[in-house]
Amino acid sequence: NAGVTQTPKFQVLKTGQSMTLQCAQDMNHEYMSWYRQDPGMGLRLIHYSVGAGITDQGEVPNGYNVSRSTTEDFPLRLLSAAPSQTSVYFCASSYSWTGTSGYTFGSGTRLTVV
Amino acid sequence: QQQVKQSPQSLIVQKGGISIINCAYENTAFDYFPWYQQFPGKGPALLIAIRPDVSEKKEGRFTISFNKSAKQFSLHIMDSQPGDSATYFCAAKGGSGGGADGLTFGKGTHLIIQP
């Protein structure tokens, strides 16, 4: 039972480069989301999905794209990396977006943009 | 606009003492209040959660106290142990998006338990 798997664990990008952060879950969870964690800022929601084919923006969506073609995968794309996107990124999933379903987080991707 | 305010930012407690972390929220539509524990290099993990229809929930050494009228909730860690040293986040769900717009997190409390 792998839970939520994020790859890569670490990444260094140059300003202007693009990349995709991968997230996969094997729990058949309906809901998936991406958060970024910055010192003193807590976790802020970037994008979320309530099911395959359905995505929406969170609190800080600018500079990021997502898609959800399968229940299992929810990749996060950085279109043109900027130093302000240096952060730790967490993917989380939940059985349902309603009610009190707990979130399962991945172990994170630490991204540095130089 | 910060919808969940968490305090203190950092906390040092002696082994065996009680650790108390407080959170306050503004959105009365919130209906689910979890606490997450995060160790360095790891993702947050659900510790304990409460709904607003109860005033207290206890799981082992961890207790959530909830005051709906004051829009405040707190985490109490009894008999704190060095292994409890971590960052703790309070969160809330159920705002305008009904929960689809995810958890709103506090900024976190870095807890150190001194042996």
Side-chain angles (χ1 to χ4, degrees), chain A residues 15 31 34 50-51 53 63-64 94 104 113:
Chain A
T15 298
Y31 182 85
W34 277 101
V50 298
Y64 308 95
S94 175
T104 300
V113 182

Side-chain angles (χ1 to χ4, degrees), chain B residues 11 13-16 19 80-82 84-85 111-115:
Chain B
L11 180 62
V13 176
Q14 296 297 314
K15 178 183 176 182
S19 303
S80 299
Q81 299 297 312
D84 297 330
S85 298
L111 175 64
I112 297 173
I113 308 300
Q114 289 188 333

